[in-house]
Amino acid sequence: AQKITQTQPGMFVQEKEAVTLDCTYDTSDQSYGLFWYKQPSSGEMIFLIYQGSYDEQNATEGRYSLNFQKARKSANLVISASQLGDSAMYFCAMRDRQDSNYQLIWGAGTKLIIKP
Amino acid sequence: NAGVMQNPRHLVRRRGQEARLRCSPMKGHSHVYWYRQLPEEGLKFMVYLQKENIIDESGMPKERFSAEFPKEGPSILRIQQVVRGDSAAYFCASSPPGSSTGELFFGEGSRLTVL
């Protein structure tokens, strides 16, 4: 069965340090997509980054990069030079069928707190 | 540049009452999705609608829950005879047509509390 696992329920990181949020997934499909979303305390879900299973390079978006290790089935989010505004819940999600981009499978999330 | 608009942001209901949650997708988006988030959990898909059509309701509970997206006006998620277990955050999302990544744009959510 398809599943997303985020093993870190919470993390404290010093401001300006880099942080890695773990995500492992399980799927039998060859074609799938991986997403990271940020949910600040205000509640909205903010799309951060996407990685397709056939993408040869790791996705990057500004300070966000995705460390995609296909053989290990991991898709860790790396935030460089963390800022206080990065404090939020972070969710990893997977789409395992091309035709069901909305039926994402979500992890339980990691609460990231950036310390000044 | 309005995003996905949801209202109300917070709703309190007593057991047995009805809850109506509204969602206006981003301009130019005609596909709407509803999700439920229980505390400390990720989102669970409920229903996917296009204008006047329910495309996929495989995540909707069979009873008490319904959704619509009329030709005019917002999409509405309706929960009849609410119970305490319905307390959750309900998110609406929309997506641009033809998106290759399937990126979803979320609203800020509606938090339902059932007393």
Side-chain angles (χ1 to χ4, degrees):
Chain A
Q2 293 84 4
K3 188 178 178 182
I4 291 281
T5 302
Q6 294 181 252
T7 57
Q8 307 149 311
M11 287 186 70
F12 288 89
V13 172
Q14 200 68 38
E15 188 181 8
K16 298 182 184 176
E17 289 184 353
V19 56
T20 297
L21 304 180
D22 295 340
C23 172
T24 57
Y25 60 92
D26 190 13
T27 181
S28 56
D29 287 290
Q30 297 301 310
S31 177
Y32 52 89
L34 296 153
F35 299 78
W36 277 92
Y37 281 84
K38 172 185 179 182
Q39 186 179 40
S41 57
S42 51
E44 73 269 33
M45 282 286 190
I46 302 168
F47 168 76
L48 295 179
I49 197 166
Y50 167 82
Q51 179 85 42
S53 58
Y54 292 120
D55 294 343
E56 293 184 354
Q57 292 191 336
N58 287 344
T60 60
E61 289 286 347
R63 293 187 300 113
Y64 303 109
S65 61
L66 202 151
N67 184 4
F68 182 45
Q69 298 187 41
K70 197 169 181 177
R72 296 180 59 187
K73 292 190 174 179
S74 74
N76 298 340
L77 177 70
V78 180
I79 306 173
S80 62
S82 58
Q83 302 171 357
L84 295 178
D86 294 333
S87 295
M89 284 289 290
Y90 288 81
F91 291 94
C92 180
M94 175 175 68
R95 177 195 75 212
D96 66 348
R97 282 165 44 193
Q98 288 290 341
D99 60 346
S100 65
N101 60 295
Y102 54 90
Q103 289 216 24
L104 299 178
I105 299 156
W106 295 74
T110 295
K111 186 168 187 176
L112 175 64
I113 297 175
I114 307 298
K115 299 182 293 184
Chain B
N1 186 20
V4 177
M5 304 299 293
Q6 288 189 249
N7 68 84
R9 292 292 311 277
H10 300 275
L11 182 64
V12 179
R13 285 287 178 267
R14 297 190 181 279
R15 281 179 296 169
Q17 292 183 321
E18 179 179 287
R20 283 191 180 218
L21 310 176
R22 289 174 290 276
C23 168
S24 296
M26 285 182 71
K27 188 176 181 180
H29 294 186
S30 58
H31 298 188
V32 163
Y33 316 86
W34 284 95
Y35 297 83
R36 176 162 60 178
Q37 184 183 32
L38 296 173
E40 311 296 323
E41 293 186 13
L43 276 65
K44 295 286 194 302
F45 166 76
M46 298 181 76
V47 62
Y48 162 33
L49 308 109
Q50 295 179 16
K51 287 282 187 182
E52 299 185 283
N53 279 308
I54 297 174
I55 307 301
D56 183 348
E57 56 182 349
S58 58
M60 285 276 272
K62 295 288 183 251
E63 298 177 348
R64 301 189 297 108
F65 284 73
S66 62
E68 63 176 8
F69 190 14
K71 189 176 179 181
E72 301 290 337
S75 174
I76 295 175
L77 179 68
R78 182 180 176 203
I79 311 172
Q80 294 178 292
Q81 299 171 4
V82 296
V83 301
R84 289 213 173 111
D86 296 333
S87 295
Y90 291 85
F91 285 90
C92 172
S94 67
S95 65
S99 169
S100 60
T101 63
E103 178 186 343
L104 300 171
F105 293 82
F106 284 86
E108 293 184 324
S110 292
R111 277 148 186 83
L112 172 66
T113 301
V114 179
L115 301 177

Coordinates of all heavy atoms in Angstrom, one line a residue, chain A residues 5-86:
Chain A
T5 N 6.0 8.4 5.1 CA 6.5 8.4 6.5 C 7.4 9.6 6.8 O 8.4 9.8 6.1 CB 7.2 7.1 6.8 OG1 6.4 6.0 6.6 CG2 7.6 7.1 8.3
Q6 N 7.0 10.4 7.8 CA 7.8 11.5 8.2 C 8.2 11.1 9.7 O 7.3 11.2 10.5 CB 7.1 12.8 8.1 CG 6.8 13.2 6.7 CD 6.1 14.5 6.6 OE1 5.0 14.6 6.2 NE2 6.9 15.6 6.8
T7 N 9.4 10.8 9.9 CA 9.8 10.2 11.2 C 10.1 11.3 12.3 O 10.2 10.9 13.5 CB 11.0 9.4 11.1 OG1 12.1 10.1 10.5 CG2 10.8 8.2 10.2
Q8 N 10.1 12.5 11.9 CA 10.5 13.6 12.9 C 9.2 14.4 13.2 O 8.8 15.2 12.4 CB 11.5 14.6 12.3 CG 12.8 13.9 11.7 CD 13.3 14.7 10.5 OE1 12.6 15.1 9.6 NE2 14.6 15.0 10.6
P9 N 8.6 14.1 14.3 CA 7.4 14.9 14.7 C 7.7 16.4 14.9 O 6.9 17.2 14.7 CB 6.9 14.2 16.0 CG 8.0 13.4 16.4 CD 8.9 13.1 15.3
G10 N 8.9 16.6 15.5 CA 9.3 18.0 15.7 C 10.8 18.2 15.7 O 11.6 17.3 15.9
M11 N 11.2 19.4 15.3 CA 12.6 19.8 15.2 C 12.9 21.2 15.6 O 12.1 22.1 15.3 CB 13.1 19.6 13.7 CG 13.3 18.2 13.2 SD 14.0 18.2 11.6 CE 15.7 18.7 12.0
F12 N 14.0 21.4 16.3 CA 14.4 22.8 16.7 C 15.7 23.0 16.0 O 16.6 22.2 16.0 CB 14.7 22.9 18.2 CG 13.4 22.9 19.0 CD1 12.8 21.7 19.5 CD2 12.8 24.1 19.3 CE1 11.7 21.8 20.2 CE2 11.6 24.2 20.1 CZ 11.1 23.0 20.6
V13 N 15.8 24.1 15.3 CA 17.0 24.5 14.5 C 17.4 25.9 14.8 O 16.5 26.8 14.9 CB 16.7 24.2 13.0 CG1 17.9 24.8 12.2 CG2 16.5 22.8 12.7
Q14 N 18.7 26.2 14.9 CA 19.1 27.5 15.1 C 19.0 28.3 13.8 O 19.2 27.8 12.7 CB 20.6 27.5 15.5 CG 21.1 28.8 16.2 CD 20.4 29.0 17.6 OE1 20.2 28.0 18.3 NE2 20.1 30.2 17.9
E15 N 18.6 29.6 13.9 CA 18.4 30.4 12.7 C 19.7 30.5 11.9 O 20.8 30.4 12.5 CB 18.1 31.9 13.2 CG 17.7 32.8 12.1 CD 17.4 34.2 12.6 OE1 17.6 34.5 13.8 OE2 17.0 35.1 11.9
K16 N 19.6 30.5 10.6 CA 20.7 30.5 9.6 C 21.3 29.2 9.4 O 22.1 29.1 8.4 CB 21.7 31.6 10.0 CG 21.2 33.0 10.1 CD 22.3 34.0 10.5 CE 21.7 35.4 10.6 NZ 22.7 36.4 11.1
E17 N 21.0 28.2 10.2 CA 21.5 26.9 9.9 C 20.6 26.2 8.8 O 19.5 26.6 8.6 CB 21.5 26.0 11.1 CG 22.5 26.4 12.2 CD 22.6 25.5 13.3 OE1 21.7 24.6 13.4 OE2 23.5 25.6 14.2
A18 N 21.2 25.2 8.1 CA 20.4 24.4 7.2 C 19.7 23.3 8.0 O 20.1 22.9 9.0 CB 21.4 23.8 6.2
V19 N 18.6 22.9 7.4 CA 17.8 21.9 8.1 C 17.3 20.9 7.0 O 17.0 21.2 5.9 CB 16.6 22.5 8.8 CG1 15.7 23.3 7.9 CG2 15.7 21.4 9.5
T20 N 17.3 19.6 7.4 CA 16.8 18.5 6.5 C 15.6 17.9 7.2 O 15.7 17.4 8.3 CB 17.9 17.5 6.3 OG1 19.0 18.1 5.6 CG2 17.3 16.4 5.4
L21 N 14.5 17.8 6.5 CA 13.3 17.2 6.9 C 13.1 15.9 6.2 O 13.1 15.9 5.0 CB 12.1 18.1 6.7 CG 12.2 19.5 7.4 CD1 10.9 20.3 7.0 CD2 12.4 19.4 8.9
D22 N 13.0 14.8 6.9 CA 13.0 13.5 6.3 C 11.6 13.1 5.8 O 10.6 13.4 6.4 CB 13.4 12.4 7.4 CG 14.9 12.6 7.8 OD1 15.6 13.3 7.1 OD2 15.2 12.1 8.9
C23 N 11.6 12.3 4.7 CA 10.4 11.8 4.1 C 10.8 10.5 3.4 O 11.7 10.5 2.5 CB 9.8 12.8 3.2 SG 8.4 12.1 2.2
T24 N 10.2 9.4 3.7 CA 10.3 8.2 3.0 C 8.9 7.8 2.5 O 7.9 8.1 3.1 CB 10.9 7.1 3.8 OG1 10.1 6.8 4.9 CG2 12.3 7.4 4.2
Y25 N 8.9 7.1 1.4 CA 7.6 6.7 0.7 C 7.7 5.3 0.3 O 8.7 4.7 0.2 CB 7.3 7.7 -0.4 CG 8.4 7.6 -1.5 CD1 8.3 6.8 -2.6 CD2 9.5 8.5 -1.5 CE1 9.2 6.7 -3.6 CE2 10.5 8.4 -2.5 CZ 10.3 7.6 -3.5 OH 11.3 7.5 -4.5
D26 N 6.5 4.8 0.1 CA 6.4 3.4 -0.4 C 5.3 3.4 -1.5 O 4.2 3.8 -1.3 CB 5.9 2.5 0.8 CG 6.0 1.0 0.5 OD1 6.6 0.7 -0.6 OD2 5.5 0.2 1.2
T27 N 5.7 2.9 -2.6 CA 4.8 2.7 -3.7 C 5.3 1.7 -4.7 O 6.5 1.5 -4.8 CB 4.6 4.0 -4.5 OG1 3.7 3.8 -5.6 CG2 5.9 4.6 -5.1
S28 N 4.4 1.0 -5.3 CA 4.9 0.0 -6.3 C 4.8 0.6 -7.7 O 5.2 -0.1 -8.7 CB 4.0 -1.2 -6.2 OG 2.6 -0.9 -6.4
D29 N 4.3 1.8 -7.8 CA 4.3 2.4 -9.2 C 5.6 3.0 -9.6 O 6.4 3.4 -8.8 CB 3.3 3.6 -9.1 CG 1.8 3.1 -9.1 OD1 1.4 2.5 -10.1 OD2 1.2 3.3 -8.0
Q30 N 5.8 3.0 -10.9 CA 7.1 3.5 -11.4 C 7.0 5.0 -11.7 O 8.0 5.7 -11.6 CB 7.4 2.8 -12.8 CG 7.7 1.3 -12.6 CD 8.8 1.1 -11.6 OE1 9.9 1.6 -11.8 NE2 8.6 0.2 -10.7
S31 N 5.8 5.5 -11.9 CA 5.6 6.9 -12.2 C 4.8 7.5 -11.0 O 3.7 7.1 -10.7 CB 4.7 7.1 -13.5 OG 4.5 8.4 -13.7
Y32 N 5.5 8.5 -10.4 CA 4.8 9.1 -9.2 C 5.5 10.5 -9.0 O 6.5 10.8 -9.7 CB 5.0 8.3 -7.9 CG 6.4 7.8 -7.6 CD1 7.3 8.6 -6.9 CD2 6.9 6.6 -8.1 CE1 8.6 8.2 -6.6 CE2 8.2 6.2 -7.9 CZ 9.0 7.0 -7.1 OH 10.3 6.6 -6.9
G33 N 4.9 11.3 -8.2 CA 5.4 12.6 -7.9 C 5.4 12.9 -6.4 O 4.6 12.3 -5.7
L34 N 6.3 13.7 -6.0 CA 6.5 13.9 -4.5 C 6.4 15.4 -4.3 O 7.0 16.2 -5.1 CB 7.8 13.4 -4.1 CG 7.9 11.9 -4.1 CD1 9.3 11.4 -4.3 CD2 7.3 11.2 -2.9
F35 N 5.7 15.8 -3.3 CA 5.5 17.2 -3.0 C 5.9 17.5 -1.6 O 5.8 16.7 -0.7 CB 4.0 17.6 -3.1 CG 3.4 17.3 -4.5 CD1 3.1 16.1 -4.9 CD2 3.1 18.4 -5.3 CE1 2.5 15.9 -6.2 CE2 2.5 18.2 -6.6 CZ 2.2 16.9 -7.0
W36 N 6.3 18.8 -1.4 CA 6.4 19.3 0.0 C 5.5 20.5 0.1 O 5.5 21.4 -0.7 CB 7.8 19.7 0.3 CG 8.7 18.5 0.8 CD1 9.4 17.7 0.0 CD2 8.8 18.0 2.1 NE1 10.0 16.7 0.8 CE2 9.7 16.9 2.1 CE3 8.3 18.4 3.4 CZ2 10.0 16.2 3.2 CZ3 8.6 17.7 4.5 CH2 9.5 16.6 4.4
Y37 N 4.8 20.6 1.2 CA 3.9 21.7 1.6 C 4.3 22.2 2.9 O 4.7 21.5 3.8 CB 2.4 21.3 1.6 CG 1.8 21.2 0.2 CD1 1.9 20.1 -0.6 CD2 1.1 22.3 -0.4 CE1 1.4 20.0 -1.8 CE2 0.6 22.2 -1.6 CZ 0.7 21.1 -2.3 OH 0.1 21.0 -3.6
K38 N 4.1 23.5 3.1 CA 4.4 24.2 4.4 C 3.1 24.7 4.9 O 2.2 25.3 4.2 CB 5.3 25.4 4.2 CG 5.5 26.3 5.4 CD 6.4 27.5 5.0 CE 6.6 28.4 6.1 NZ 7.5 29.6 5.7
Q39 N 2.8 24.5 6.2 CA 1.6 25.0 6.8 C 2.0 25.8 8.1 O 2.3 25.3 9.1 CB 0.7 23.8 7.3 CG -0.6 24.3 7.8 CD -1.5 23.1 8.2 OE1 -1.1 22.1 8.8 NE2 -2.8 23.2 7.9
P40 N 2.0 27.1 7.9 CA 2.3 28.0 9.0 C 1.1 28.0 10.0 O 0.1 27.4 9.8 CB 2.5 29.4 8.4 CG 1.8 29.3 7.1 CD 1.8 27.9 6.7
S41 N 1.3 28.7 11.1 CA 0.3 28.7 12.2 C -1.0 29.3 11.7 O -2.0 29.0 12.3 CB 0.8 29.4 13.4 OG 1.2 30.8 13.1
S42 N -1.0 30.1 10.7 CA -2.2 30.7 10.2 C -3.0 29.6 9.5 O -4.2 29.8 9.2 CB -1.9 31.8 9.2 OG -0.9 31.4 8.2
G43 N -2.5 28.5 9.1 CA -3.3 27.4 8.7 C -3.2 27.0 7.2 O -3.6 25.9 6.8
E44 N -2.9 28.0 6.3 CA -2.9 27.6 4.9 C -1.8 26.7 4.5 O -0.8 26.6 5.1 CB -2.9 28.9 4.1 CG -1.5 29.6 4.0 CD -1.3 30.6 5.1 OE1 -1.9 30.4 6.2 OE2 -0.6 31.6 4.8
M45 N -2.1 25.9 3.5 CA -1.1 25.0 2.9 C -0.4 25.7 1.7 O -1.0 26.1 0.8 CB -1.8 23.7 2.4 CG -2.2 22.8 3.4 SD -0.7 21.9 4.1 CE -1.5 20.7 5.1
I46 N 0.9 25.8 1.8 CA 1.7 26.5 0.8 C 2.6 25.5 0.1 O 3.4 24.8 0.7 CB 2.6 27.6 1.5 CG1 1.7 28.6 2.2 CG2 3.4 28.3 0.4 CD1 2.4 29.5 3.1
F47 N 2.4 25.4 -1.2 CA 3.2 24.5 -2.0 C 4.7 25.0 -2.0 O 4.9 26.2 -2.2 CB 2.7 24.5 -3.4 CG 3.6 23.8 -4.4 CD1 3.8 22.5 -4.5 CD2 4.4 24.6 -5.3 CE1 4.6 21.9 -5.4 CE2 5.2 24.0 -6.3 CZ 5.3 22.7 -6.3
L48 N 5.6 24.1 -1.8 CA 7.1 24.5 -1.8 C 7.8 23.9 -3.0 O 8.5 24.7 -3.7 CB 7.7 23.9 -0.5 CG 7.3 24.5 0.8 CD1 8.0 23.8 1.9 CD2 7.4 26.0 0.9
I49 N 7.7 22.6 -3.3 CA 8.6 22.0 -4.2 C 8.0 20.7 -4.7 O 7.2 20.0 -4.0 CB 10.0 21.8 -3.6 CG1 11.0 21.6 -4.7 CG2 10.0 20.7 -2.6 CD1 12.5 21.8 -4.2
Y50 N 8.3 20.3 -5.9 CA 7.8 19.1 -6.5 C 9.0 18.3 -7.2 O 9.9 18.9 -7.8 CB 6.8 19.4 -7.6 CG 6.4 18.2 -8.5 CD1 5.5 17.3 -8.1 CD2 7.0 18.1 -9.7 CE1 5.2 16.2 -8.9 CE2 6.7 17.0 -10.5 CZ 5.7 16.1 -10.1 OH 5.4 15.0 -10.9
Q51 N 8.9 17.0 -7.1 CA 9.9 16.1 -7.7 C 9.1 15.0 -8.4 O 8.4 14.2 -7.8 CB 10.8 15.5 -6.7 CG 11.9 14.6 -7.2 CD 13.1 15.3 -7.7 OE1 13.6 16.2 -7.1 NE2 13.7 14.8 -8.9
G52 N 9.4 14.8 -9.7 CA 8.8 13.7 -10.4 C 9.7 12.5 -10.4 O 10.9 12.7 -10.3
S53 N 9.2 11.3 -10.4 CA 10.0 10.1 -10.3 C 11.0 9.9 -11.4 O 12.0 9.3 -11.2 CB 9.1 8.9 -10.1 OG 8.2 8.8 -11.3
Y54 N 10.7 10.5 -12.5 CA 11.6 10.4 -13.7 C 12.5 11.6 -13.8 O 13.4 11.6 -14.7 CB 10.8 10.2 -15.0 CG 10.1 8.9 -15.0 CD1 8.7 8.8 -15.1 CD2 10.7 7.7 -15.0 CE1 8.0 7.6 -15.2 CE2 10.1 6.4 -15.0 CZ 8.7 6.4 -15.1 OH 8.0 5.2 -15.1
D55 N 12.4 12.5 -12.9 CA 13.3 13.7 -13.0 C 14.7 13.2 -12.6 O 14.9 12.6 -11.6 CB 12.8 14.8 -12.1 CG 11.5 15.4 -12.5 OD1 11.1 15.2 -13.7 OD2 10.9 16.0 -11.7
E56 N 15.7 13.6 -13.5 CA 17.0 13.1 -13.2 C 17.8 14.0 -12.2 O 18.7 13.5 -11.5 CB 17.8 13.0 -14.5 CG 17.3 12.0 -15.5 CD 18.1 11.9 -16.7 OE1 19.0 12.7 -16.9 OE2 17.9 10.9 -17.5
Q57 N 17.3 15.2 -12.1 CA 18.0 16.1 -11.2 C 17.1 16.4 -10.0 O 15.9 16.4 -10.1 CB 18.4 17.4 -11.9 CG 19.4 17.3 -13.0 CD 19.9 18.6 -13.5 OE1 19.3 19.6 -13.4 NE2 21.2 18.6 -14.0
N58 N 17.7 16.7 -8.9 CA 17.0 17.1 -7.7 C 16.3 18.4 -7.9 O 16.9 19.4 -8.4 CB 17.9 17.1 -6.5 CG 18.3 15.8 -6.0 OD1 17.7 14.8 -6.3 ND2 19.3 15.7 -5.1
A59 N 15.1 18.5 -7.5 CA 14.4 19.8 -7.6 C 14.9 20.9 -6.7 O 15.3 20.5 -5.6 CB 12.9 19.6 -7.4
T60 N 14.9 22.1 -7.1 CA 15.3 23.2 -6.3 C 14.4 24.4 -6.5 O 13.9 24.6 -7.6 CB 16.8 23.7 -6.6 OG1 16.8 24.1 -7.9 CG2 17.8 22.6 -6.3
E61 N 14.1 25.1 -5.4 CA 13.2 26.3 -5.5 C 13.7 27.3 -4.5 O 13.4 27.2 -3.3 CB 11.7 26.0 -5.2 CG 11.0 25.2 -6.3 CD 10.7 26.0 -7.5 OE1 10.8 27.3 -7.4 OE2 10.3 25.4 -8.5
G62 N 14.6 28.2 -4.9 CA 15.1 29.2 -3.9 C 15.9 28.5 -2.8 O 16.9 27.7 -3.1
R63 N 15.5 28.7 -1.6 CA 16.2 28.0 -0.5 C 15.8 26.6 -0.2 O 16.4 25.9 0.6 CB 16.0 28.9 0.8 CG 16.6 30.2 0.8 CD 16.5 30.9 2.2 NE 15.1 31.1 2.5 CZ 14.5 30.5 3.6 NH1 15.2 29.6 4.3 NH2 13.3 30.7 3.9
Y64 N 14.9 26.1 -1.0 CA 14.4 24.7 -0.8 C 15.0 23.8 -1.9 O 15.1 24.2 -3.1 CB 12.9 24.7 -1.0 CG 12.1 25.6 0.0 CD1 11.5 26.7 -0.5 CD2 12.1 25.3 1.4 CE1 10.8 27.5 0.4 CE2 11.4 26.1 2.2 CZ 10.7 27.2 1.7 OH 10.1 28.1 2.6
S65 N 15.4 22.7 -1.5 CA 15.9 21.7 -2.4 C 15.4 20.3 -1.9 O 15.1 20.1 -0.7 CB 17.4 21.7 -2.6 OG 18.0 21.4 -1.3
L66 N 15.2 19.4 -2.8 CA 14.7 18.1 -2.5 C 15.8 17.1 -2.8 O 16.3 17.0 -3.9 CB 13.4 17.8 -3.3 CG 12.5 16.7 -2.8 CD1 11.1 17.0 -3.2 CD2 12.9 15.4 -3.2
N67 N 16.2 16.4 -1.7 CA 17.2 15.3 -1.9 C 16.5 14.0 -2.2 O 16.1 13.3 -1.3 CB 18.0 15.3 -0.6 CG 19.2 14.3 -0.7 OD1 19.4 13.7 -1.7 ND2 19.9 14.1 0.4
F68 N 16.4 13.8 -3.5 CA 15.7 12.6 -4.0 C 16.6 11.4 -4.2 O 17.5 11.5 -5.0 CB 15.0 13.0 -5.3 CG 14.1 11.9 -5.9 CD1 13.2 11.2 -5.1 CD2 14.2 11.6 -7.3 CE1 12.4 10.2 -5.7 CE2 13.4 10.7 -7.8 CZ 12.5 10.0 -7.0
Q69 N 16.4 10.4 -3.4 CA 17.1 9.1 -3.5 C 16.2 8.0 -3.8 O 15.6 7.4 -2.9 CB 17.9 8.9 -2.2 CG 18.9 10.0 -1.9 CD 19.8 9.6 -0.7 OE1 20.3 8.5 -0.6 NE2 20.1 10.6 0.1
K70 N 16.0 7.7 -5.1 CA 15.0 6.9 -5.6 C 15.1 5.4 -5.1 O 14.2 4.8 -4.7 CB 15.0 6.9 -7.1 CG 13.8 6.3 -7.8 CD 13.8 6.6 -9.3 CE 12.5 6.1 -9.9 NZ 12.5 6.5 -11.4
A71 N 16.4 4.9 -5.1 CA 16.6 3.6 -4.6 C 16.2 3.4 -3.1 O 15.7 2.3 -2.7 CB 18.0 3.2 -4.8
R72 N 16.4 4.4 -2.4 CA 16.1 4.4 -0.9 C 14.7 4.8 -0.7 O 14.2 4.8 0.5 CB 17.1 5.3 -0.1 CG 18.5 4.8 -0.2 CD 19.4 5.7 0.6 NE 19.0 5.8 2.0 CZ 19.5 6.6 2.9 NH1 20.5 7.4 2.5 NH2 19.1 6.6 4.1
K73 N 14.0 5.3 -1.7 CA 12.6 5.8 -1.6 C 12.6 6.9 -0.5 O 11.7 6.9 0.4 CB 11.6 4.7 -1.3 CG 11.5 3.7 -2.5 CD 10.3 2.7 -2.3 CE 10.1 1.9 -3.5 NZ 9.0 0.9 -3.4
S74 N 13.4 7.9 -0.7 CA 13.4 9.0 0.2 C 13.4 10.3 -0.6 O 14.0 10.4 -1.7 CB 14.6 9.0 1.2 OG 15.8 9.3 0.6
A75 N 12.8 11.3 0.0 CA 12.6 12.6 -0.7 C 12.7 13.7 0.4 O 11.7 14.3 0.7 CB 11.3 12.7 -1.4
N76 N 13.9 13.8 0.9 CA 14.1 14.8 2.1 C 14.1 16.2 1.6 O 14.6 16.5 0.5 CB 15.4 14.5 2.8 CG 15.4 13.1 3.4 OD1 14.3 12.5 3.6 ND2 16.5 12.6 3.7
L77 N 13.5 17.1 2.3 CA 13.5 18.5 2.0 C 14.6 19.2 2.8 O 14.8 19.0 4.0 CB 12.2 19.2 2.5 CG 12.1 20.7 2.3 CD1 12.0 21.0 0.8 CD2 10.9 21.3 3.1
V78 N 15.4 19.9 2.0 CA 16.5 20.7 2.6 C 16.2 22.2 2.5 O 15.9 22.7 1.5 CB 17.9 20.4 1.9 CG1 19.0 21.2 2.6 CG2 18.2 18.9 2.0
I79 N 16.3 22.9 3.7 CA 16.1 24.3 3.7 C 17.4 24.9 4.1 O 18.0 24.6 5.2 CB 15.0 24.7 4.7 CG1 13.7 24.0 4.5 CG2 14.8 26.2 4.7 CD1 12.6 24.2 5.6
S80 N 18.0 25.7 3.2 CA 19.3 26.3 3.5 C 19.0 27.7 4.2 O 18.0 28.3 4.1 CB 20.0 26.6 2.2 OG 19.3 27.5 1.4
A81 N 20.0 28.0 5.0 CA 20.0 29.3 5.7 C 18.6 29.6 6.3 O 17.9 30.6 5.9 CB 20.4 30.4 4.7
S82 N 18.2 28.8 7.3 CA 16.8 28.9 7.8 C 16.6 30.3 8.4 O 17.5 31.0 8.9 CB 16.6 27.8 8.9 OG 17.6 28.0 9.9
Q83 N 15.3 30.7 8.3 CA 14.8 32.0 8.8 C 13.7 31.7 9.8 O 13.1 30.7 9.8 CB 14.3 32.8 7.7 CG 15.3 33.0 6.6 CD 14.7 33.7 5.3 OE1 13.5 33.9 5.3 NE2 15.6 34.0 4.4
L84 N 13.5 32.7 10.7 CA 12.4 32.6 11.7 C 11.1 32.3 11.0 O 10.3 31.5 11.6 CB 12.3 33.9 12.5 CG 13.5 34.2 13.4 CD1 13.3 35.5 14.1 CD2 13.9 33.0 14.4
G85 N 10.8 32.8 9.9 CA 9.6 32.6 9.2 C 9.4 31.2 8.6 O 8.3 30.8 8.1
D86 N 10.5 30.4 8.7 CA 10.4 29.0 8.3 C 9.7 28.1 9.3 O 9.4 27.0 9.1 CB 11.7 28.4 8.0 CG 12.4 29.1 6.8 OD1 11.7 29.6 5.9 OD2 13.7 29.1 6.8

